[in-house]
Amino acid sequence: MTGELRWFWGVVLVAANLLNAYVAYGAVVIRPQGVWDEHTLTGIEVASALAVVLGVVITLLALVPVRQKVLSRWWLADMLGLPEALAPAR
């Protein structure tokens, strides 16, 4: 049973982290055409807020299998700072 739970939680967390990476990448890559481009700036703000909310939800979601000892503590390493270390410098 633990092996099945490990696969389930692994797939869920990897999919959730990929979704969050896609949203964060979109927020970083999209460039407004100018200071007047309010629609694009609003989209960047929404994508950034969504990435933060997804990060918190994924962290809380990852705590469930870690506390049940289905997954190791290394699954929390992604939420503790690895994405910031890989982010491009501005």
PDB file of all heavy atoms in Angstrom, residues 12-30 47-56 58 78-79 82-84 86-88:
ATOM      1  N   VAL A  12       1.189  13.545  -8.070  1.00  0.00           N
ATOM      2  CA  VAL A  12       0.432  14.760  -7.752  1.00  0.00           C
ATOM      3  C   VAL A  12       1.373  15.934  -7.493  1.00  0.00           C
ATOM      4  O   VAL A  12       1.172  17.035  -8.025  1.00  0.00           O
ATOM      5  CB  VAL A  12      -0.494  14.511  -6.531  1.00  0.00           C
ATOM      6  CG1 VAL A  12      -1.047  15.817  -6.001  1.00  0.00           C
ATOM      7  CG2 VAL A  12      -1.621  13.576  -6.906  1.00  0.00           C
ATOM      8  N   LEU A  13       2.415  15.715  -6.692  1.00  0.00           N
ATOM      9  CA  LEU A  13       3.327  16.811  -6.367  1.00  0.00           C
ATOM     10  C   LEU A  13       4.163  17.250  -7.566  1.00  0.00           C
ATOM     11  O   LEU A  13       4.403  18.450  -7.745  1.00  0.00           O
ATOM     12  CB  LEU A  13       4.224  16.417  -5.197  1.00  0.00           C
ATOM     13  CG  LEU A  13       3.513  16.310  -3.846  1.00  0.00           C
ATOM     14  CD1 LEU A  13       4.474  15.802  -2.782  1.00  0.00           C
ATOM     15  CD2 LEU A  13       2.906  17.632  -3.443  1.00  0.00           C
ATOM     16  N   VAL A  14       4.601  16.319  -8.375  1.00  0.00           N
ATOM     17  CA  VAL A  14       5.366  16.697  -9.571  1.00  0.00           C
ATOM     18  C   VAL A  14       4.480  17.483 -10.542  1.00  0.00           C
ATOM     19  O   VAL A  14       4.900  18.517 -11.080  1.00  0.00           O
ATOM     20  CB  VAL A  14       5.971  15.445 -10.248  1.00  0.00           C
ATOM     21  CG1 VAL A  14       6.474  15.765 -11.639  1.00  0.00           C
ATOM     22  CG2 VAL A  14       7.091  14.882  -9.394  1.00  0.00           C
ATOM     23  N   ALA A  15       3.251  17.044 -10.749  1.00  0.00           N
ATOM     24  CA  ALA A  15       2.333  17.764 -11.642  1.00  0.00           C
ATOM     25  C   ALA A  15       2.031  19.163 -11.099  1.00  0.00           C
ATOM     26  O   ALA A  15       2.014  20.141 -11.856  1.00  0.00           O
ATOM     27  CB  ALA A  15       1.045  16.970 -11.827  1.00  0.00           C
ATOM     28  N   ALA A  16       1.813  19.268  -9.801  1.00  0.00           N
ATOM     29  CA  ALA A  16       1.518  20.576  -9.198  1.00  0.00           C
ATOM     30  C   ALA A  16       2.719  21.505  -9.305  1.00  0.00           C
ATOM     31  O   ALA A  16       2.568  22.699  -9.595  1.00  0.00           O
ATOM     32  CB  ALA A  16       1.101  20.391  -7.742  1.00  0.00           C
ATOM     33  N   ASN A  17       3.915  20.991  -9.082  1.00  0.00           N
ATOM     34  CA  ASN A  17       5.119  21.818  -9.201  1.00  0.00           C
ATOM     35  C   ASN A  17       5.376  22.230 -10.649  1.00  0.00           C
ATOM     36  O   ASN A  17       5.850  23.345 -10.897  1.00  0.00           O
ATOM     37  CB  ASN A  17       6.333  21.090  -8.631  1.00  0.00           C
ATOM     38  CG  ASN A  17       6.393  21.182  -7.128  1.00  0.00           C
ATOM     39  OD1 ASN A  17       6.268  22.259  -6.569  1.00  0.00           O
ATOM     40  ND2 ASN A  17       6.571  20.060  -6.475  1.00  0.00           N
ATOM     41  N   LEU A  18       5.080  21.364 -11.602  1.00  0.00           N
ATOM     42  CA  LEU A  18       5.225  21.742 -13.011  1.00  0.00           C
ATOM     43  C   LEU A  18       4.234  22.837 -13.386  1.00  0.00           C
ATOM     44  O   LEU A  18       4.582  23.767 -14.130  1.00  0.00           O
ATOM     45  CB  LEU A  18       5.043  20.517 -13.912  1.00  0.00           C
ATOM     46  CG  LEU A  18       6.196  19.529 -13.921  1.00  0.00           C
ATOM     47  CD1 LEU A  18       5.834  18.302 -14.758  1.00  0.00           C
ATOM     48  CD2 LEU A  18       7.462  20.180 -14.466  1.00  0.00           C
ATOM     49  N   LEU A  19       3.015  22.748 -12.878  1.00  0.00           N
ATOM     50  CA  LEU A  19       2.033  23.797 -13.127  1.00  0.00           C
ATOM     51  C   LEU A  19       2.502  25.118 -12.533  1.00  0.00           C
ATOM     52  O   LEU A  19       2.421  26.169 -13.180  1.00  0.00           O
ATOM     53  CB  LEU A  19       0.677  23.409 -12.530  1.00  0.00           C
ATOM     54  CG  LEU A  19      -0.413  24.482 -12.606  1.00  0.00           C
ATOM     55  CD1 LEU A  19      -0.782  24.763 -14.051  1.00  0.00           C
ATOM     56  CD2 LEU A  19      -1.619  24.070 -11.796  1.00  0.00           C
ATOM     57  N   ASN A  20       3.019  25.074 -11.335  1.00  0.00           N
ATOM     58  CA  ASN A  20       3.520  26.288 -10.693  1.00  0.00           C
ATOM     59  C   ASN A  20       4.723  26.854 -11.446  1.00  0.00           C
ATOM     60  O   ASN A  20       4.857  28.074 -11.597  1.00  0.00           O
ATOM     61  CB  ASN A  20       3.889  26.013  -9.235  1.00  0.00           C
ATOM     62  CG  ASN A  20       4.049  27.277  -8.440  1.00  0.00           C
ATOM     63  OD1 ASN A  20       3.617  28.337  -8.848  1.00  0.00           O
ATOM     64  ND2 ASN A  20       4.675  27.164  -7.289  1.00  0.00           N
ATOM     65  N   ALA A  21       5.601  26.002 -11.925  1.00  0.00           N
ATOM     66  CA  ALA A  21       6.749  26.467 -12.706  1.00  0.00           C
ATOM     67  C   ALA A  21       6.289  27.129 -14.004  1.00  0.00           C
ATOM     68  O   ALA A  21       6.846  28.157 -14.414  1.00  0.00           O
ATOM     69  CB  ALA A  21       7.681  25.298 -13.016  1.00  0.00           C
ATOM     70  N   TYR A  22       5.260  26.589 -14.638  1.00  0.00           N
ATOM     71  CA  TYR A  22       4.726  27.172 -15.865  1.00  0.00           C
ATOM     72  C   TYR A  22       4.145  28.560 -15.602  1.00  0.00           C
ATOM     73  O   TYR A  22       4.391  29.506 -16.361  1.00  0.00           O
ATOM     74  CB  TYR A  22       3.664  26.246 -16.461  1.00  0.00           C
ATOM     75  CG  TYR A  22       2.999  26.786 -17.686  1.00  0.00           C
ATOM     76  CD1 TYR A  22       3.668  26.816 -18.901  1.00  0.00           C
ATOM     77  CD2 TYR A  22       1.708  27.287 -17.639  1.00  0.00           C
ATOM     78  CE1 TYR A  22       3.066  27.331 -20.038  1.00  0.00           C
ATOM     79  CE2 TYR A  22       1.091  27.802 -18.756  1.00  0.00           C
ATOM     80  CZ  TYR A  22       1.776  27.816 -19.959  1.00  0.00           C
ATOM     81  OH  TYR A  22       1.175  28.331 -21.080  1.00  0.00           O
ATOM     82  N   VAL A  23       3.391  28.697 -14.521  1.00  0.00           N
ATOM     83  CA  VAL A  23       2.792  29.993 -14.179  1.00  0.00           C
ATOM     84  C   VAL A  23       3.885  31.011 -13.844  1.00  0.00           C
ATOM     85  O   VAL A  23       3.851  32.153 -14.307  1.00  0.00           O
ATOM     86  CB  VAL A  23       1.800  29.826 -13.006  1.00  0.00           C
ATOM     87  CG1 VAL A  23       1.351  31.178 -12.481  1.00  0.00           C
ATOM     88  CG2 VAL A  23       0.599  29.006 -13.435  1.00  0.00           C
ATOM     89  N   ALA A  24       4.865  30.602 -13.058  1.00  0.00           N
ATOM     90  CA  ALA A  24       5.955  31.512 -12.689  1.00  0.00           C
ATOM     91  C   ALA A  24       6.777  31.897 -13.917  1.00  0.00           C
ATOM     92  O   ALA A  24       7.186  33.059 -14.063  1.00  0.00           O
ATOM     93  CB  ALA A  24       6.845  30.869 -11.632  1.00  0.00           C
ATOM     94  N   TYR A  25       7.029  30.941 -14.799  1.00  0.00           N
ATOM     95  CA  TYR A  25       7.771  31.231 -16.030  1.00  0.00           C
ATOM     96  C   TYR A  25       7.018  32.252 -16.885  1.00  0.00           C
ATOM     97  O   TYR A  25       7.609  33.179 -17.435  1.00  0.00           O
ATOM     98  CB  TYR A  25       7.999  29.940 -16.817  1.00  0.00           C
ATOM     99  CG  TYR A  25       8.733  30.142 -18.114  1.00  0.00           C
ATOM    100  CD1 TYR A  25      10.099  30.365 -18.129  1.00  0.00           C
ATOM    101  CD2 TYR A  25       8.051  30.106 -19.326  1.00  0.00           C
ATOM    102  CE1 TYR A  25      10.779  30.555 -19.321  1.00  0.00           C
ATOM    103  CE2 TYR A  25       8.723  30.299 -20.517  1.00  0.00           C
ATOM    104  CZ  TYR A  25      10.083  30.520 -20.520  1.00  0.00           C
ATOM    105  OH  TYR A  25      10.742  30.712 -21.690  1.00  0.00           O
ATOM    106  N   GLY A  26       5.712  32.091 -16.957  1.00  0.00           N
ATOM    107  CA  GLY A  26       4.902  33.043 -17.714  1.00  0.00           C
ATOM    108  C   GLY A  26       4.973  34.442 -17.129  1.00  0.00           C
ATOM    109  O   GLY A  26       5.026  35.431 -17.857  1.00  0.00           O
ATOM    110  N   ALA A  27       4.989  34.521 -15.808  1.00  0.00           N
ATOM    111  CA  ALA A  27       5.068  35.834 -15.157  1.00  0.00           C
ATOM    112  C   ALA A  27       6.415  36.501 -15.402  1.00  0.00           C
ATOM    113  O   ALA A  27       6.502  37.720 -15.491  1.00  0.00           O
ATOM    114  CB  ALA A  27       4.824  35.688 -13.662  1.00  0.00           C
ATOM    115  N   VAL A  28       7.466  35.708 -15.524  1.00  0.00           N
ATOM    116  CA  VAL A  28       8.806  36.266 -15.723  1.00  0.00           C
ATOM    117  C   VAL A  28       9.046  36.631 -17.188  1.00  0.00           C
ATOM    118  O   VAL A  28       9.653  37.655 -17.489  1.00  0.00           O
ATOM    119  CB  VAL A  28       9.881  35.268 -15.239  1.00  0.00           C
ATOM    120  CG1 VAL A  28      11.266  35.701 -15.646  1.00  0.00           C
ATOM    121  CG2 VAL A  28       9.802  35.114 -13.732  1.00  0.00           C
ATOM    122  N   VAL A  29       8.544  35.830 -18.103  1.00  0.00           N
ATOM    123  CA  VAL A  29       8.864  35.995 -19.523  1.00  0.00           C
ATOM    124  C   VAL A  29       8.025  37.069 -20.202  1.00  0.00           C
ATOM    125  O   VAL A  29       8.510  37.780 -21.083  1.00  0.00           O
ATOM    126  CB  VAL A  29       8.715  34.641 -20.252  1.00  0.00           C
ATOM    127  CG1 VAL A  29       8.835  34.794 -21.744  1.00  0.00           C
ATOM    128  CG2 VAL A  29       9.756  33.678 -19.762  1.00  0.00           C
ATOM    129  N   ILE A  30       6.777  37.228 -19.801  1.00  0.00           N
ATOM    130  CA  ILE A  30       5.894  38.186 -20.464  1.00  0.00           C
ATOM    131  C   ILE A  30       6.413  39.605 -20.223  1.00  0.00           C
ATOM    132  O   ILE A  30       6.690  39.991 -19.094  1.00  0.00           O
ATOM    133  CB  ILE A  30       4.452  38.055 -19.942  1.00  0.00           C
ATOM    134  CG1 ILE A  30       3.879  36.698 -20.316  1.00  0.00           C
ATOM    135  CG2 ILE A  30       3.571  39.164 -20.512  1.00  0.00           C
ATOM    136  CD1 ILE A  30       2.531  36.434 -19.695  1.00  0.00           C
ATOM    137  N   ALA A  47      -0.482  36.472 -12.548  1.00  0.00           N
ATOM    138  CA  ALA A  47       0.342  35.260 -12.633  1.00  0.00           C
ATOM    139  C   ALA A  47       1.299  35.157 -11.456  1.00  0.00           C
ATOM    140  O   ALA A  47       1.519  34.067 -10.911  1.00  0.00           O
ATOM    141  CB  ALA A  47       1.110  35.234 -13.956  1.00  0.00           C
ATOM    142  N   SER A  48       1.851  36.278 -11.023  1.00  0.00           N
ATOM    143  CA  SER A  48       2.754  36.268  -9.872  1.00  0.00           C
ATOM    144  C   SER A  48       2.010  35.891  -8.594  1.00  0.00           C
ATOM    145  O   SER A  48       2.492  35.085  -7.790  1.00  0.00           O
ATOM    146  CB  SER A  48       3.406  37.637  -9.696  1.00  0.00           C
ATOM    147  OG  SER A  48       4.162  37.972 -10.832  1.00  0.00           O
ATOM    148  N   ALA A  49       0.838  36.466  -8.395  1.00  0.00           N
ATOM    149  CA  ALA A  49       0.035  36.134  -7.214  1.00  0.00           C
ATOM    150  C   ALA A  49      -0.395  34.675  -7.248  1.00  0.00           C
ATOM    151  O   ALA A  49      -0.372  33.984  -6.217  1.00  0.00           O
ATOM    152  CB  ALA A  49      -1.179  37.051  -7.132  1.00  0.00           C
ATOM    153  N   LEU A  50      -0.763  34.198  -8.422  1.00  0.00           N
ATOM    154  CA  LEU A  50      -1.160  32.786  -8.558  1.00  0.00           C
ATOM    155  C   LEU A  50       0.006  31.859  -8.259  1.00  0.00           C
ATOM    156  O   LEU A  50      -0.169  30.808  -7.621  1.00  0.00           O
ATOM    157  CB  LEU A  50      -1.708  32.525  -9.963  1.00  0.00           C
ATOM    158  CG  LEU A  50      -2.202  31.113 -10.248  1.00  0.00           C
ATOM    159  CD1 LEU A  50      -3.349  30.750  -9.327  1.00  0.00           C
ATOM    160  CD2 LEU A  50      -2.619  30.988 -11.698  1.00  0.00           C
ATOM    161  N   ALA A  51       1.205  32.226  -8.681  1.00  0.00           N
ATOM    162  CA  ALA A  51       2.381  31.409  -8.400  1.00  0.00           C
ATOM    163  C   ALA A  51       2.654  31.339  -6.896  1.00  0.00           C
ATOM    164  O   ALA A  51       3.003  30.279  -6.373  1.00  0.00           O
ATOM    165  CB  ALA A  51       3.601  31.951  -9.139  1.00  0.00           C
ATOM    166  N   VAL A  52       2.479  32.454  -6.203  1.00  0.00           N
ATOM    167  CA  VAL A  52       2.683  32.456  -4.750  1.00  0.00           C
ATOM    168  C   VAL A  52       1.633  31.591  -4.063  1.00  0.00           C
ATOM    169  O   VAL A  52       1.946  30.772  -3.195  1.00  0.00           O
ATOM    170  CB  VAL A  52       2.653  33.903  -4.203  1.00  0.00           C
ATOM    171  CG1 VAL A  52       2.607  33.917  -2.691  1.00  0.00           C
ATOM    172  CG2 VAL A  52       3.849  34.676  -4.713  1.00  0.00           C
ATOM    173  N   VAL A  53       0.378  31.743  -4.459  1.00  0.00           N
ATOM    174  CA  VAL A  53      -0.701  30.951  -3.857  1.00  0.00           C
ATOM    175  C   VAL A  53      -0.498  29.468  -4.144  1.00  0.00           C
ATOM    176  O   VAL A  53      -0.660  28.624  -3.251  1.00  0.00           O
ATOM    177  CB  VAL A  53      -2.077  31.445  -4.358  1.00  0.00           C
ATOM    178  CG1 VAL A  53      -3.181  30.493  -3.960  1.00  0.00           C
ATOM    179  CG2 VAL A  53      -2.362  32.840  -3.830  1.00  0.00           C
ATOM    180  N   LEU A  54      -0.144  29.135  -5.372  1.00  0.00           N
ATOM    181  CA  LEU A  54       0.118  27.732  -5.715  1.00  0.00           C
ATOM    182  C   LEU A  54       1.285  27.183  -4.903  1.00  0.00           C
ATOM    183  O   LEU A  54       1.245  26.032  -4.463  1.00  0.00           O
ATOM    184  CB  LEU A  54       0.418  27.592  -7.208  1.00  0.00           C
ATOM    185  CG  LEU A  54      -0.774  27.489  -8.131  1.00  0.00           C
ATOM    186  CD1 LEU A  54      -0.308  27.504  -9.590  1.00  0.00           C
ATOM    187  CD2 LEU A  54      -1.574  26.249  -7.864  1.00  0.00           C
ATOM    188  N   GLY A  55       2.311  27.984  -4.696  1.00  0.00           N
ATOM    189  CA  GLY A  55       3.447  27.539  -3.897  1.00  0.00           C
ATOM    190  C   GLY A  55       3.047  27.204  -2.470  1.00  0.00           C
ATOM    191  O   GLY A  55       3.478  26.197  -1.909  1.00  0.00           O
ATOM    192  N   VAL A  56       2.209  28.044  -1.875  1.00  0.00           N
ATOM    193  CA  VAL A  56       1.739  27.786  -0.509  1.00  0.00           C
ATOM    194  C   VAL A  56       0.875  26.538  -0.469  1.00  0.00           C
ATOM    195  O   VAL A  56       1.029  25.681   0.413  1.00  0.00           O
ATOM    196  CB  VAL A  56       0.983  29.017   0.042  1.00  0.00           C
ATOM    197  CG1 VAL A  56       0.277  28.697   1.351  1.00  0.00           C
ATOM    198  CG2 VAL A  56       1.928  30.186   0.209  1.00  0.00           C
ATOM    199  N   ILE A  58       0.866  24.000  -2.567  1.00  0.00           N
ATOM    200  CA  ILE A  58       1.686  22.814  -2.831  1.00  0.00           C
ATOM    201  C   ILE A  58       2.509  22.449  -1.605  1.00  0.00           C
ATOM    202  O   ILE A  58       2.668  21.274  -1.276  1.00  0.00           O
ATOM    203  CB  ILE A  58       2.581  23.041  -4.069  1.00  0.00           C
ATOM    204  CG1 ILE A  58       1.722  23.143  -5.321  1.00  0.00           C
ATOM    205  CG2 ILE A  58       3.601  21.920  -4.216  1.00  0.00           C
ATOM    206  CD1 ILE A  58       2.473  23.639  -6.536  1.00  0.00           C
ATOM    207  N   ASP A  78      12.092  21.338  -2.488  1.00  0.00           N
ATOM    208  CA  ASP A  78      11.678  22.177  -3.609  1.00  0.00           C
ATOM    209  C   ASP A  78      10.989  23.443  -3.112  1.00  0.00           C
ATOM    210  O   ASP A  78      11.166  24.520  -3.660  1.00  0.00           O
ATOM    211  CB  ASP A  78      10.739  21.393  -4.529  1.00  0.00           C
ATOM    212  CG  ASP A  78      10.297  22.214  -5.713  1.00  0.00           C
ATOM    213  OD1 ASP A  78      11.140  22.927  -6.274  1.00  0.00           O
ATOM    214  OD2 ASP A  78       9.115  22.140  -6.069  1.00  0.00           O
ATOM    215  N   MET A  79      10.228  23.320  -2.046  1.00  0.00           N
ATOM    216  CA  MET A  79       9.490  24.453  -1.536  1.00  0.00           C
ATOM    217  C   MET A  79      10.342  25.362  -0.647  1.00  0.00           C
ATOM    218  O   MET A  79       9.926  26.460  -0.317  1.00  0.00           O
ATOM    219  CB  MET A  79       8.290  23.968  -0.710  1.00  0.00           C
ATOM    220  CG  MET A  79       7.128  23.483  -1.555  1.00  0.00           C
ATOM    221  SD  MET A  79       7.528  22.114  -2.595  1.00  0.00           S
ATOM    222  CE  MET A  79       6.589  20.828  -1.871  1.00  0.00           C
ATOM    223  N   LEU A  82      14.788  26.049  -3.593  1.00  0.00           N
ATOM    224  CA  LEU A  82      15.407  25.631  -4.845  1.00  0.00           C
ATOM    225  C   LEU A  82      14.938  26.469  -6.025  1.00  0.00           C
ATOM    226  O   LEU A  82      15.759  26.878  -6.842  1.00  0.00           O
ATOM    227  CB  LEU A  82      15.153  24.144  -5.089  1.00  0.00           C
ATOM    228  CG  LEU A  82      15.835  23.527  -6.292  1.00  0.00           C
ATOM    229  CD1 LEU A  82      17.340  23.651  -6.163  1.00  0.00           C
ATOM    230  CD2 LEU A  82      15.433  22.087  -6.450  1.00  0.00           C
ATOM    231  N   PRO A  83      13.641  26.805  -6.158  1.00  0.00           N
ATOM    232  CA  PRO A  83      13.238  27.625  -7.315  1.00  0.00           C
ATOM    233  C   PRO A  83      13.898  29.002  -7.325  1.00  0.00           C
ATOM    234  O   PRO A  83      14.237  29.508  -8.382  1.00  0.00           O
ATOM    235  CB  PRO A  83      11.721  27.753  -7.141  1.00  0.00           C
ATOM    236  CG  PRO A  83      11.335  26.590  -6.324  1.00  0.00           C
ATOM    237  CD  PRO A  83      12.488  26.325  -5.419  1.00  0.00           C
ATOM    238  N   GLU A  84      14.099  29.611  -6.156  1.00  0.00           N
ATOM    239  CA  GLU A  84      14.733  30.921  -6.127  1.00  0.00           C
ATOM    240  C   GLU A  84      16.186  30.843  -6.558  1.00  0.00           C
ATOM    241  O   GLU A  84      16.718  31.775  -7.141  1.00  0.00           O
ATOM    242  CB  GLU A  84      14.636  31.522  -4.712  1.00  0.00           C
ATOM    243  CG  GLU A  84      13.227  31.953  -4.342  1.00  0.00           C
ATOM    244  CD  GLU A  84      12.381  30.801  -3.841  1.00  0.00           C
ATOM    245  OE1 GLU A  84      12.944  29.726  -3.550  1.00  0.00           O
ATOM    246  OE2 GLU A  84      11.165  30.971  -3.763  1.00  0.00           O
ATOM    247  N   LEU A  86      17.362  28.894  -8.803  1.00  0.00           N
ATOM    248  CA  LEU A  86      17.422  28.667 -10.245  1.00  0.00           C
ATOM    249  C   LEU A  86      16.814  29.809 -11.054  1.00  0.00           C
ATOM    250  O   LEU A  86      16.887  29.791 -12.270  1.00  0.00           O
ATOM    251  CB  LEU A  86      16.681  27.366 -10.590  1.00  0.00           C
ATOM    252  CG  LEU A  86      17.267  26.098  -9.979  1.00  0.00           C
ATOM    253  CD1 LEU A  86      16.393  24.902 -10.331  1.00  0.00           C
ATOM    254  CD2 LEU A  86      18.688  25.867 -10.428  1.00  0.00           C
ATOM    255  N   ALA A  87      16.209  30.775 -10.381  1.00  0.00           N
ATOM    256  CA  ALA A  87      15.551  31.883 -11.098  1.00  0.00           C
ATOM    257  C   ALA A  87      16.601  32.759 -11.785  1.00  0.00           C
ATOM    258  O   ALA A  87      17.693  32.959 -11.258  1.00  0.00           O
ATOM    259  CB  ALA A  87      14.727  32.714 -10.121  1.00  0.00           C
ATOM    260  N   PRO A  88      16.255  33.285 -12.959  1.00  0.00           N
ATOM    261  CA  PRO A  88      17.214  34.148 -13.660  1.00  0.00           C
ATOM    262  C   PRO A  88      17.387  35.471 -12.933  1.00  0.00           C
ATOM    263  O   PRO A  88      16.443  36.006 -12.348  1.00  0.00           O
ATOM    264  CB  PRO A  88      16.559  34.358 -15.027  1.00  0.00           C
ATOM    265  CG  PRO A  88      15.107  34.111 -14.814  1.00  0.00           C
ATOM    266  CD  PRO A  88      15.015  33.097 -13.707  1.00  0.00           C
TER     267      PRO A  88
END
